[in-house]
Amino acid sequence: MIVCHCTGITDRQIRSAVGWMRASDPDTIVTPGKIYHALGRRADCGGCMKLFVATMRAAEGFAVDAGPAPVPAILRGLSRAAG
């Protein structure tokens, strides 16, 4: 299915781009801009963005494994120190 008519990007291309990005860097933040860039395209009118993001979020492997990561010692207490 074509998701972005301006550039001809399909749902299959979006899912492939998400998979490729996740395989190359499991912790990367996948954004529409990064997908456009990976596909060698540029966003145009933005009319597809709602469907584009929904397709991206539904792609297998989109979510980053959010296991409990400890806060680095250097970052602990920064909010109290700033006040």
Side-chain angles (χ1 to χ4, degrees), residues 5-58:
H5 285 70
C6 295
T7 61
I9 294 176
T10 66
D11 59 329
R12 182 176 292 165
Q13 290 173 308
I14 293 170
R15 288 192 306 270
S16 294
V18 168
W20 174 78
M21 285 184 222
R22 192 58 71 217
S24 64
D25 181 2
D27 295 327
T28 193
I29 296 172
V30 179
T31 65
K34 285 183 179 180
I35 291 176
Y36 273 102
H37 184 75
L39 297 174
R41 313 267 174 66
R42 298 177 107 177
D44 192 7
C45 75
C48 65
M49 216 33 65
K50 191 172 184 177
L51 180 58
F52 196 103
V53 171
T55 303
M56 201 175 76
R57 294 180 83 188

